[in-house]
C-alpha cells in the first residue's frame, strides 16, 4: 500500500487517496506529468483562454505513451474522445489502471494557454457505458442508387458500440421477383455481418422495414476505424439506413 503525508501539522502518514499536479500548456509539446502507480482513474481540468488539442496518455515503462480515452464531466460532448480539442474549459475523466505515469500533452497548439489540473485516484471511472446517450447516424439515397452509411472513425483507442440498426427498403415502382435475396453488407462489424432482404414482387409505395435493438451494445471489430453499412443499387428501390451508437474504449 502506498503512503502519503497529509497537509496538517504534524505531517501524518496515511494511505494515499489522490495525487495532484498542475502546469501550463501554452505551446506545442508542452505537457504536465503525474504519477499514477496504484491509481485507477485520472481527471483533467483545463482552465483559461486557449485553443488547441490536448492528449491524455499513460506509460507503463516510462518511455512509451498510450492514449487514454476520456469523457467529459461538464462539457456538452457525448461519450469518450481520443483527445480534448477546442477552446472550452472543463473536466474530463478516464481510466489509468496499470499505468506508471499519466500526462496531458498539447499535440496541436493554436493560441492562448491552458492551465491543467490533474488528479489520479484509487477510485475507478465506473460510469456505466450503456447509460451514455446514443448518437444517431443516418443515410438515405435516391431510387435505384446504392447507399452507404458511414460512421466516422472515433479516434485512437476508441470504438463504436451500436445500440440499434434500422434498414428500410422503399419501392418506388412495382418490384420484380428474383431468385436470390438482396444482400446488405458491412465493414467493421463482427464477422463482416450481412443482412438479407426479400426479392419479392412488392407493390409500388410499399415499405419493408428491418430493425434490430441490441440488448447489449454491439461492439465493432476494430478501434479507431470507420464503420459502414452498404446497401446495393437496387432497381426502383430507395434505401434508408439509421444507426444508434456511442463511442467508448
Amino acid at each position: 500500500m502506498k503512503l502519503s503525508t497529509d497537509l496538517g501539522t504534524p505531517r501524518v502518514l496515511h494511505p494515499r487517496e489522490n495525487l495532484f499536479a498542475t502546469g501550463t500548456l501554452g505551446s506545442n509539446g508542452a505537457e504536465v506529468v503525474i504519477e499514477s502507480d496504484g491509481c485507477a482513474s485520472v481527471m483533467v481540468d483545463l482552465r483559461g483562454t486557449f485553443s488547441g488539442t490536448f492528449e491524455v496518455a499513460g506509460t507503463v515503462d516510462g518511455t512509451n505513451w498510450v492514449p487514454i480515452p476520456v469523457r467529459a464531466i461538464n462539457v456538452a460532448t457525448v461519450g469518450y474522445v481520443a483527445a480534448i480539442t477546442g477552446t472550452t474549459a472543463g473536466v474530463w475523466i478516464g481510466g489509468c489502471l496499470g499505468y506508471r505515469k499519466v500526462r496531458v500533452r498539447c499535440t496541436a497548439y493554436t493560441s492562448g494557454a491552458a492551465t491543467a489540473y490533474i488528479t489520479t485516484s484509487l477510485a475507478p471511472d465506473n460510469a456505466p457505458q450503456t447509460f451514455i446517450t446514443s448518437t444517431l447516424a443516418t443515410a438515405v439515397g435516391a431510387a435505384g442508387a446504392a447507399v452507404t452509411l458511414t460512421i466516422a472513425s472515433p479516434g485512437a483507442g476508441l470504438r463504436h458500440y451500436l445500440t440499434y440498426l434500422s434498414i428500410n427498403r422503399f419501392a418506388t415502382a412495382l418490384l420484380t421477383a428474383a431468385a436470390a435475396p438482396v444482400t446488405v453488407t458491412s465493414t467493421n462489424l463482427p464477422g463482416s455481418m450481412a443482412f438479407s432482404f426479400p426479392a419479392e414482387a412488392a407493390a409500388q409505395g410499399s415499405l419493408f422495414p428491418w430493425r434490430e435493438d441490441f440488448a447489449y451494445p454491439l461492439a465493432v471489430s476494430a478501434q479507431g476505424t470507420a464503420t459502414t453499412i452498404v446497401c446495393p443499387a437496387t432497381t426502383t428501390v430507395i434505401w434508408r439506413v439509421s444507426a444508434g451508437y456511442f463511442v467508448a474504449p
Side-chain angles (χ1 to χ4, degrees), residues 117-133:
Y117 303 90
I118 313 175
T119 301
T120 51
S121 173
L122 299 175
D125 171 22
N126 58 357
Q129 293 180 354
T130 53
F131 289 171
I132 297 175
T133 303

Side-chain angles (χ1 to χ4, degrees), residues 162 165-167 181-187 189-190 192-198 210-212 214 218 228-232 239 241:
L162 270 61
L165 181 60
S166 171
I167 306 174
V182 178
T183 302
V184 174
T185 59
S186 69
T187 65
L189 292 185
S192 298
M193 191 178 292
F195 313 91
S196 294
F197 280 75
W210 178 92
R211 177 177 172 124
E212 179 74 22
F214 301 106
L218 177 65
T228 66
I229 310 296
V230 184
C231 301
W239 293 102
V241 189

